[in-house]
Amino acid sequence: MRLHRLTVTAFGPFAGTETVDFDALAAGGLFLLRGATGAGKSSVLDAVCFALYGETPNARRASRLRSDHADPKQLTQVRLELTLGGRRLEITRLPEQRRPKKVGSGTTVERAQTLLREWAADAGAGVPGWRPLSKSHQEAGEEIHRLIGMSRDQFCQVVLLPQGDFARFLKADSEERGKLLRRLFDTERYGLVESWLAERRRAQEAAVQAGRRRLRDLVSKAEQAAGPGAEPAEGWVPAEDDGPDLAAGVLGWAAILRSGAAEQAAVAEAALDGAQAAHRAAQQAREAAEEVAGRQRRHREALARAERLAEFEPAAERDGRRLAAAQQAVGVESALRLREGAAEAHRRARTAERQRREALAGALGALGSLGALGALAGPGAAPGGAPVGAEAGAEELAGAERWLRAEVVRLEAARAEERRCAELAAEQRSLGSDLRGAEELAEEAEDWLAEFEGELSRLEERQAGARAAGARVEQLDGRRAESAARLAAARERDGLRAEIAAAEPRVAGLRTAALDAREHGLDLRDRRLAGMAAELAERLRSGEACRVCGSPEHPAPAQAAPGGRVSAEDEERAARALDVAERVWRQADQALTALRVREASAAGAAGPDGADVLARALAELEHEHREALGAAEALGRVEQEIGRLSQDRARRLDELREAKERAAVLTDRLQQLDAEQRESAGRVAAARGGAASVAE
């Protein structure tokens, strides 16, 4: 974390707006905040903590953030620019505070606000600037906590040391200072970590021992499963080996057992293939037998159904005779209606005849008395068809009248039958139209049913394809996951290989540097050992005793070796340089070893194929998966279509049955009407003679 700029407004002792440029302060390295008590040193740190966490280090002062000397219209605000995790951020916070109302008198509460922005090279239209990230307290707090990695309490303990605790730290003795440091920096967790590591070590030792016991158990089980014929190679017995190579020996012995088991498995697979072939043959025979049994069962059911139908034949014959009689009785209906009409006409004629006879008798009597009968009796027809002259008597006239009246009655009955013929013709036309409609409906239903089997077969094929695609989707899901894992492992392997290729020269260079440092240190040590006599000689003074031999005379003092003198400081510097070089080399070598282990693991997971081959394979699997998924998703639609098709088939069968029944009824009715119409037409033709109609 690096602070760049802090701007506070109406915060703490600062009534106006103050800005602290940390970049300028830190240009020379460390900097010091110095000032009198109450000048605002702690307020600067409080503002930093408030900007980061929305709270000050001292909770007691959280309600006293606003300056008492600030303008009431000016809001308290803290803005902090900093770099976190390589990102340039700007945090602006306004605490909850009271401000004057914009309308009227009095004050109102201004709610707390938080704004988090990030500097972006392209904030819009290709122009660099601040890009808003969040206006939520919670979101901004979570993002800052994630980037800092410390809570407010941890930040205050580690980064901001409270002044009172710091004073006590300076005045306390070593024991109290240790307690204070443990409380401030929460070092108790390291003790917990140490205890946890010890517990983990004991647990791992127990796990290793348990693993050895489990390995022995597995060896015993393998010996029992292998049988007496599978002894370890070269007389080695795994259960008696408890050295560090136990696992390697067990693996070797297990490999021998595995090869033998593989041979037995091959033999068993061959036997299994034979058994499966026999099983398939038996299944085919069973299916054939089931087919024959099904046909025999259907034959028995058909015979039983035929017997039941034969039992219903007498009743069917009786019903047929009743139906024929009923159909024949339909033709009598018109004759009955004609008979009723004729009877009613006859009754009316008898009444009219009686009235006319009474009137005729009176008229004839009057005419006879007047002598005018001969003049009134014009030419006519006698009852026997003879003409009636003017001289005809009353009996002749009465006979002629009766003949004429009989003819009128006959013609009236014929006129009623003529109207009936017209009604029969209209009914025939209507029934013919209905019959054609029923026949067309039946023909349409038969055509649809003829195409039903083909449509059903097509839908069933689509259904089977969709179900197969569903099974294919499940298979492809597993293959996609495996291929994606292999591709990720291959890419990780390639990346690790590149890192290894880049790290190997560096490790080699560090190793060479460490060896050079070691040689240089040994050379300095040799030179120092060789130059120790020269150091002692330099301290000799004439007349003073030698520290080595005690002689006050020094005829031939030792001289320093060529190349300069090597001091203890030079040797210490060389030793420190050697330690640093070896430490850096060991760290780099350990990192390289870790990379090689990860590369081997990734290579084992990826297999021999390259990332390009695996990417193409994964793309093909993705394409197949999309196609299979699309085909499988059509299963619901196909099943709905099959359901609708089955419903349409049932409806069409009902329509076909109803249409055939209606056509049969209409055909019988038309036949009856045709016969009745022919009879009526014959009677009407005989009655009208040469006239166009009976009415004429």
Side-chain angles (χ1 to χ4, degrees):
M1 179 178 70
R2 180 179 178 183
L3 306 181
H4 298 291
R5 182 183 298 274
L6 174 67
T7 303
V8 296
T9 301
F11 184 87
F14 307 109
T17 300
E18 303 294 339
T19 300
V20 180
D21 190 350
F22 290 103
D23 289 336
L25 292 175
L30 297 177
F31 62 89
L32 173 67
L33 295 180
R34 179 179 177 273
T37 302
K41 303 183 297 300
S42 299
S43 296
V44 173
L45 302 180
D46 291 347
V48 173
C49 186
F50 177 73
L52 293 175
Y53 296 98
E55 298 178 358
T56 58
N58 193 342
R60 181 174 56 83
R61 300 181 59 207
S63 61
R64 299 290 297 167
L65 298 179
R66 180 169 176 80
S67 175
D68 296 332
H69 308 286
D71 185 355
K73 297 181 180 180
Q74 192 172 27
L75 296 179
T76 298
Q77 176 178 303
V78 175
R79 179 180 292 110
L80 176 63
E81 294 182 25
L82 73 164
T83 298
L84 283 176
R87 300 167 59 184
R88 181 75 173 257
L89 302 176
E90 181 190 73
I91 309 169
T92 302
R93 290 188 187 269
L94 282 77
E96 184 176 302
Q97 53 193 302
R98 303 193 68 84
R99 62 169 176 80
K101 292 183 178 179
K102 296 180 180 179
V103 178
S105 60
T107 60
T108 184
V109 176
E110 181 76 16
R111 299 182 63 183
Q113 300 179 29
T114 298
L115 175 62
L116 178 62
R117 300 194 301 175
E118 181 179 6
W119 181 265
D122 184 6
V127 178
W130 293 105
R131 182 179 65 226
L133 293 181
S134 176
K135 292 184 178 180
S136 170
H137 299 294
Q138 182 177 359
E139 292 180 359
E142 291 177 353
E143 181 68 14
I144 295 171
H145 183 274
R146 184 184 66 82
L147 293 174
I148 296 178
M150 290 186 291
S151 65
R152 185 188 68 88
D153 295 336
Q154 293 171 339
F155 181 81
C156 293
Q157 287 179 347
V158 176
V159 180
L160 302 180
L161 186 63
Q163 294 181 5
D165 292 340
F166 184 69
R168 284 195 299 273
F169 175 76
L170 294 177
K171 297 177 181 179
D173 56 14
S174 60
E175 182 177 358
E176 292 179 355
R177 190 177 300 173
K179 293 180 181 179
L180 181 60
L181 287 175
R182 283 193 295 272
R183 184 173 65 83
L184 288 176
F185 297 102
D186 195 14
T187 57
E188 184 178 354
R189 69 185 67 181
Y190 299 108
L192 296 177
V193 170
E194 184 179 0
S195 301
W196 180 82
L197 290 174
E199 183 64 27
R200 292 289 297 172
R201 178 182 60 78
R202 290 191 293 270
Q204 292 300 324
E205 289 179 354
V208 170
Q209 296 300 325
R212 287 183 175 274
R213 289 193 297 271
R214 176 173 172 75
L215 185 59
R216 288 184 176 280
D217 294 340
L218 292 176
V219 169
S220 300
K221 292 179 180 179
E223 289 178 345
Q224 293 176 1
E231 294 295 334
E234 298 181 1
W236 178 79
V237 180
E240 297 178 356
D241 186 2
D242 197 16
D245 297 333
L246 175 62
V250 169
L251 291 176
W253 178 68
I256 297 173
L257 293 181
R258 185 170 60 251
S259 62
E263 295 177 357
Q264 296 178 2
V267 175
E269 287 178 356
L272 177 61
D273 293 338
Q276 288 178 345
H279 181 260
R280 287 193 294 270
Q283 281 185 334
Q284 294 175 357
R286 180 179 61 81
E287 292 174 356
E290 289 179 351
E291 180 67 21
V292 173
R295 292 180 179 179
Q296 292 176 351
R297 183 180 65 258
R298 291 193 294 273
H299 180 262
R300 289 194 300 271
E301 293 175 354
L303 291 178
R305 192 180 304 110
E307 292 177 358
R308 289 195 300 271
L309 293 176
E311 294 176 356
F312 289 107
E313 285 184 358
E317 291 179 357
R318 289 194 300 272
D319 294 340
R321 289 194 295 272
R322 289 179 61 192
L323 178 61
Q327 292 176 348
Q328 292 175 359
V330 174
V332 183
E333 182 181 2
S334 60
L336 291 176
R337 287 198 300 269
L338 290 175
R339 179 182 177 281
E340 292 176 357
E344 179 65 23
H346 181 264
R347 185 183 61 76
R348 291 194 300 270
R350 292 290 296 272
T351 302
E353 180 185 5
R354 185 173 62 254
Q355 294 174 354
R356 296 295 186 274
R357 282 185 180 280
E358 293 175 356
L360 181 60
L364 288 176
L367 290 174
S369 63
L370 294 175
L373 180 62
L376 293 173
V388 178
E391 68 278 11
E395 292 181 359
E396 291 177 348
L397 290 174
E401 182 182 8
R402 287 192 299 273
W403 181 79
L404 289 174
R405 288 184 181 280
E407 287 295 317
V408 169
V409 170
R410 185 178 62 81
L411 289 175
E412 286 179 352
R415 184 169 60 182
E417 193 158 2
E418 186 177 51
R419 288 194 299 269
R420 175 61 181 166
C421 285
E423 293 175 357
L424 290 175
E427 186 176 0
Q428 281 180 326
R429 288 192 298 272
S430 176
L431 293 177
S433 177
D434 294 343
L435 178 60
R436 287 192 297 274
E439 289 176 348
E440 290 175 357
L441 182 61
E443 183 178 359
E444 180 183 358
E446 288 177 349
D447 293 340
W448 189 91
L449 291 172
E451 298 175 356
F452 167 78
E453 295 297 335
E455 183 68 14
L456 181 62
S457 300
R458 184 181 64 82
L459 290 176
E460 288 177 346
E461 291 178 358
R462 289 179 58 190
Q463 184 183 31
R467 288 177 177 171
R472 178 68 174 166
V473 167
E474 295 180 356
Q475 296 176 359
L476 290 174
D477 284 337
R479 293 178 58 189
R480 284 172 57 227
E482 180 183 358
S483 182
R486 291 186 60 194
L487 177 59
R491 289 173 176 171
E492 182 181 5
R493 175 199 61 194
D494 296 340
L496 290 172
R497 286 178 177 174
E499 292 182 17
I500 291 172
E504 283 178 346
R506 178 173 176 272
V507 173
L510 292 174
R511 181 174 180 275
T512 302
L515 293 177
D516 293 340
R518 181 178 294 276
E519 291 180 359
H520 179 64
L522 294 175
D523 180 65
L524 289 179
R525 177 172 295 179
D526 293 338
R527 290 171 57 192
R528 176 165 171 71
L529 292 175
M532 282 184 179
E535 290 184 12
L536 293 175
E538 289 179 354
R539 298 177 184 177
L540 294 177
R541 298 293 183 269
S542 299
E544 294 182 0
C546 177
R547 295 183 179 182
V548 179
C549 63
S551 174
E553 297 180 356
H554 316 294
Q559 300 295 325
R565 183 182 301 169
V566 177
S567 64
E569 290 78 10
D570 296 335
E571 189 175 1
E572 285 183 10
R573 283 194 297 272
R576 287 195 298 269
L578 175 61
D579 292 338
V580 172
E582 288 182 344
R583 183 171 63 254
V584 173
W585 170 54
R586 284 195 299 270
Q587 292 175 354
D589 187 68
Q590 291 174 358
L592 179 60
T593 303
L595 289 176
R596 287 171 176 168
V597 171
R598 290 174 57 193
E599 187 273 339
S601 177
D609 298 330
D612 296 338
V613 176
L614 293 174
R616 288 194 297 270
L618 180 59
E620 293 175 358
L621 288 175
E622 292 286 352
H623 179 68
E624 293 181 9
H625 182 268
R626 287 192 297 272
E627 291 182 349
L629 186 61
E633 290 176 350
L635 178 61
R637 296 192 298 272
V638 172
E639 289 180 346
Q640 292 178 357
E641 291 180 7
I642 291 176
R644 288 195 297 269
L645 190 64
S646 300
Q647 294 176 358
D648 292 342
R649 179 177 180 273
R651 180 174 58 80
R652 294 284 185 172
L653 288 174
D654 294 339
E655 291 177 356
L656 178 61
R657 177 179 54 77
E658 293 175 358
K660 287 185 176 180
E661 292 177 356
R662 180 169 177 77
V665 173
L666 292 174
T667 300
D668 293 340
R669 180 60 179 163
L670 282 173
Q671 292 176 357
Q672 296 170 6
L673 292 176
D674 184 68
E676 183 179 355
Q677 204 246 4
R678 284 197 301 270
E679 293 176 1
S680 298
R683 289 194 294 268
V684 170
R688 73 171 182 262
S693 64
V694 175
E696 182 180 350

